[in-house]
Amino acid sequence: MTHPAEYVVVGQLGAVYGVKGWIKVQSYTDDVEAIFDYHPWQIRLQGKVQDVTVDEWRRHNKGLIAKLADVNDRDAAHVLTGADVVINTEQLPELPEDEFYWRDLIGMTVVNTDGYNMGIVDQLMATAANDVMVVKANSNDAFGRSERLIPFIQSQYIQAVDQENKRIVVDWPSDF
């Protein structure tokens, strides 16, 4: 079995749909149907990971529903409600050189072009305009900041992403 750190969550199983074991699926992939491109699926429930096979799936209203192998009634599907749908990170497609998975950016040190250590990437959030890094400032930040929100716009604010040294260089003022 693969170590849990090698998994990435791509969705979650929701409420039961009908009486024949179908269950709603919330997809976290950019194209919501792309969740079904990953094989095999694994589900994580109460800390345990198990392989599952999707027998069928389809769009239903504005969402997705799926029928998993060996889940043949409402009670069996109900047990899976809330389970994370995970895949092994090796299943993720390779990205072009200037694109990054958010999970790879989290934990990187952010330094501005003046050499000031602005903190660590705590999370990223999607906005209508662009993605934004939430940078948790160092506890002894000279400007009294606890966090900074920095737009992740390459060649404008993001000058370099060094994955090997886990460092992002930004063109962003230290006191902002």
Side-chain angles (χ1 to χ4, degrees), residues 82-117:
D84 289 327
V85 177
V86 298
I87 60 168
N88 190 297
T89 56
E90 294 171 358
Q91 291 176 265
L92 293 171
E94 289 289 322
L95 294 175
E97 189 173 315
D98 62 341
E99 291 184 22
F100 309 94
Y101 287 111
W102 283 10
R103 65 181 188 82
D104 295 332
L105 300 175
I106 294 172
M108 285 190 170
T109 301
V110 178
V111 179
N112 72 5
T113 52
D114 295 331
Y116 185 79
N117 184 330

Coordinates of all heavy atoms in Angstrom, one line a residue, residues 82-117:
G82 N -19.2 10.8 2.4 CA -18.2 11.7 3.1 C -16.8 11.2 2.8 O -15.8 11.8 3.2
A83 N -16.6 10.0 2.2 CA -15.3 9.5 1.9 C -14.6 10.4 0.8 O -15.2 10.9 -0.1 CB -15.3 8.1 1.4
D84 N -13.3 10.6 1.0 CA -12.5 11.3 0.0 C -12.1 10.4 -1.1 O -11.8 9.2 -0.9 CB -11.1 11.8 0.6 CG -11.3 13.0 1.6 OD1 -12.2 13.8 1.4 OD2 -10.5 13.0 2.6
V85 N -12.2 10.9 -2.3 CA -11.7 10.1 -3.5 C -10.3 10.6 -3.7 O -10.0 11.8 -3.9 CB -12.6 10.4 -4.8 CG1 -12.0 9.7 -6.0 CG2 -14.0 10.1 -4.5
V86 N -9.4 9.6 -3.6 CA -7.9 9.9 -3.7 C -7.3 9.1 -4.9 O -7.8 8.1 -5.2 CB -7.2 9.7 -2.4 CG1 -7.7 10.5 -1.3 CG2 -7.2 8.2 -2.0
I87 N -6.2 9.7 -5.4 CA -5.4 9.0 -6.4 C -4.0 9.1 -5.9 O -3.6 10.0 -5.2 CB -5.6 9.6 -7.8 CG1 -5.2 11.0 -7.9 CG2 -7.0 9.4 -8.3 CD1 -5.1 11.6 -9.3
N88 N -3.2 8.2 -6.4 CA -1.7 8.3 -6.2 C -1.2 9.4 -7.0 O -1.6 9.7 -8.1 CB -1.1 7.0 -6.6 CG 0.3 6.9 -6.2 OD1 1.2 7.7 -6.6 ND2 0.6 5.9 -5.4
T89 N -0.3 10.2 -6.4 CA 0.3 11.4 -7.0 C 0.9 11.1 -8.3 O 1.0 11.9 -9.2 CB 1.3 12.1 -6.1 OG1 2.3 11.2 -5.7 CG2 0.6 12.7 -4.9
E90 N 1.4 9.8 -8.5 CA 2.0 9.4 -9.8 C 1.0 9.4 -10.9 O 1.4 9.4 -12.1 CB 2.7 8.1 -9.6 CG 3.9 8.1 -8.6 CD 4.4 6.7 -8.3 OE1 3.8 5.7 -8.8 OE2 5.3 6.6 -7.6
Q91 N -0.3 9.4 -10.6 CA -1.3 9.4 -11.7 C -1.5 10.9 -12.2 O -2.2 11.0 -13.3 CB -2.6 8.9 -11.1 CG -2.6 7.4 -10.8 CD -3.9 7.0 -10.2 OE1 -4.0 6.9 -9.0 NE2 -4.9 6.7 -11.0
L92 N -1.0 11.9 -11.5 CA -1.2 13.2 -12.0 C -0.4 13.5 -13.3 O 0.7 13.0 -13.4 CB -0.8 14.3 -11.0 CG -1.6 14.3 -9.7 CD1 -1.0 15.2 -8.6 CD2 -3.0 14.8 -10.0
P93 N -1.0 14.2 -14.2 CA -0.2 14.4 -15.5 C 1.0 15.4 -15.2 O 0.9 16.2 -14.3 CB -1.2 15.1 -16.4 CG -2.4 15.5 -15.6 CD -2.3 14.7 -14.3
E94 N 2.0 15.2 -16.0 CA 3.2 16.1 -16.0 C 2.7 17.5 -16.5 O 1.9 17.6 -17.4 CB 4.3 15.6 -16.9 CG 5.0 14.4 -16.3 CD 5.8 14.6 -15.1 OE1 6.5 15.7 -15.0 OE2 5.8 13.8 -14.2
L95 N 3.2 18.5 -15.8 CA 2.8 19.9 -16.2 C 3.9 20.5 -17.0 O 5.1 20.2 -16.8 CB 2.5 20.7 -14.9 CG 1.3 20.3 -14.1 CD1 1.3 21.2 -12.8 CD2 0.1 20.4 -14.9
P96 N 3.6 21.5 -17.8 CA 4.7 22.3 -18.5 C 5.6 22.9 -17.4 O 5.2 23.1 -16.3 CB 3.9 23.3 -19.3 CG 2.5 22.8 -19.4 CD 2.3 21.9 -18.2
E97 N 6.7 23.4 -17.8 CA 7.7 23.9 -16.9 C 7.2 25.1 -16.1 O 7.7 25.3 -15.0 CB 9.0 24.3 -17.7 CG 10.2 24.6 -16.9 CD 11.4 24.9 -17.7 OE1 11.7 24.1 -18.6 OE2 12.1 25.9 -17.4
D98 N 6.4 25.9 -16.6 CA 5.9 27.1 -15.9 C 4.6 26.9 -15.2 O 4.0 27.9 -14.8 CB 5.9 28.3 -16.9 CG 4.9 28.1 -18.0 OD1 4.5 26.9 -18.3 OD2 4.4 29.1 -18.6
E99 N 4.1 25.7 -15.0 CA 2.9 25.4 -14.3 C 3.2 24.6 -13.1 O 4.1 23.8 -13.1 CB 1.8 24.7 -15.2 CG 1.3 25.6 -16.3 CD 0.2 25.0 -17.1 OE1 -0.4 24.0 -16.6 OE2 0.0 25.4 -18.3
F100 N 2.3 24.7 -12.1 CA 2.6 24.0 -10.8 C 1.3 23.5 -10.2 O 0.2 24.2 -10.3 CB 3.3 25.0 -9.8 CG 4.5 25.7 -10.4 CD1 4.4 26.9 -11.0 CD2 5.7 25.0 -10.4 CE1 5.5 27.5 -11.6 CE2 6.8 25.7 -11.0 CZ 6.7 26.9 -11.6
Y101 N 1.4 22.4 -9.5 CA 0.3 22.0 -8.7 C 0.3 22.8 -7.4 O 1.4 23.0 -6.8 CB 0.3 20.5 -8.4 CG 0.0 19.6 -9.6 CD1 1.0 18.9 -10.2 CD2 -1.3 19.6 -10.1 CE1 0.6 18.1 -11.3 CE2 -1.6 18.8 -11.2 CZ -0.7 18.1 -11.8 OH -1.0 17.3 -12.9
W102 N -0.8 23.2 -6.9 CA -0.9 23.9 -5.6 C -0.1 23.2 -4.5 O 0.6 23.8 -3.7 CB -2.3 24.2 -5.2 CG -3.0 25.3 -6.0 CD1 -2.6 25.9 -7.1 CD2 -4.3 25.9 -5.7 NE1 -3.5 26.9 -7.5 CE2 -4.5 26.8 -6.6 CE3 -5.2 25.6 -4.6 CZ2 -5.7 27.6 -6.6 CZ3 -6.3 26.4 -4.6 CH2 -6.6 27.3 -5.6
R103 N -0.3 21.9 -4.4 CA 0.2 21.1 -3.3 C 1.8 21.2 -3.3 O 2.4 21.0 -2.3 CB -0.2 19.6 -3.4 CG 0.3 18.9 -4.7 CD -0.2 17.5 -4.7 NE 0.5 16.8 -5.8 CZ 1.7 16.3 -5.8 NH1 2.4 16.3 -4.6 NH2 2.2 15.7 -6.8
D104 N 2.4 21.5 -4.5 CA 3.8 21.6 -4.6 C 4.3 23.0 -4.1 O 5.4 23.1 -3.7 CB 4.3 21.4 -6.0 CG 4.0 19.9 -6.5 OD1 4.0 19.0 -5.6 OD2 3.9 19.7 -7.7
L105 N 3.4 24.0 -4.2 CA 3.8 25.3 -3.7 C 3.6 25.5 -2.2 O 4.4 26.3 -1.6 CB 3.0 26.4 -4.5 CG 3.1 26.4 -6.0 CD1 2.1 27.4 -6.6 CD2 4.5 26.7 -6.5
I106 N 2.7 24.8 -1.6 CA 2.5 24.9 -0.2 C 3.7 24.5 0.6 O 4.3 23.4 0.3 CB 1.2 24.1 0.2 CG1 0.0 24.8 -0.4 CG2 1.1 24.1 1.7 CD1 -1.3 24.0 -0.3
G107 N 4.1 25.3 1.5 CA 5.3 25.1 2.3 C 6.6 25.7 1.8 O 7.6 25.7 2.4
M108 N 6.5 26.3 0.6 CA 7.7 27.0 0.0 C 7.9 28.3 0.7 O 7.0 29.0 1.1 CB 7.5 27.2 -1.5 CG 7.7 26.0 -2.3 SD 7.8 26.4 -4.1 CE 8.3 24.9 -4.8
T109 N 9.2 28.7 0.8 CA 9.6 30.0 1.4 C 9.4 31.0 0.3 O 9.7 30.8 -0.9 CB 11.0 30.0 1.8 OG1 11.2 28.9 2.8 CG2 11.5 31.3 2.4
V110 N 8.8 32.2 0.7 CA 8.6 33.3 -0.3 C 9.6 34.4 0.1 O 9.6 34.9 1.3 CB 7.1 33.8 -0.2 CG1 6.9 35.0 -1.2 CG2 6.2 32.6 -0.6
V111 N 10.4 34.8 -0.9 CA 11.4 35.9 -0.7 C 11.1 36.9 -1.7 O 10.9 36.6 -2.9 CB 12.8 35.3 -0.8 CG1 13.8 36.4 -0.6 CG2 13.0 34.2 0.2
N112 N 11.2 38.2 -1.4 CA 11.0 39.2 -2.4 C 12.3 39.5 -3.1 O 13.4 39.1 -2.7 CB 10.2 40.5 -1.9 CG 11.0 41.3 -1.0 OD1 12.2 41.1 -0.8 ND2 10.4 42.4 -0.5
T113 N 12.2 40.4 -4.2 CA 13.4 40.7 -5.0 C 14.5 41.4 -4.2 O 15.6 41.5 -4.6 CB 13.0 41.4 -6.2 OG1 12.2 42.6 -5.9 CG2 12.2 40.6 -7.2
D114 N 14.1 42.0 -3.0 CA 15.1 42.7 -2.2 C 15.7 41.7 -1.2 O 16.5 42.1 -0.4 CB 14.4 43.8 -1.3 CG 13.9 44.9 -2.2 OD1 14.4 45.2 -3.3 OD2 12.8 45.5 -1.8
G115 N 15.3 40.4 -1.2 CA 15.9 39.4 -0.4 C 15.2 39.3 1.0 O 15.6 38.5 1.8
Y116 N 14.0 40.0 1.2 CA 13.3 39.9 2.4 C 12.5 38.6 2.5 O 11.7 38.3 1.6 CB 12.4 41.1 2.6 CG 11.7 41.1 3.9 CD1 12.3 41.6 5.1 CD2 10.4 40.7 4.1 CE1 11.7 41.6 6.3 CE2 9.7 40.7 5.3 CZ 10.4 41.1 6.4 OH 9.8 41.1 7.6
N117 N 12.6 37.8 3.5 CA 11.9 36.6 3.7 C 10.5 36.9 4.2 O 10.3 37.4 5.3 CB 12.6 35.7 4.8 CG 11.9 34.4 4.9 OD1 10.7 34.2 4.7 ND2 12.7 33.4 5.3

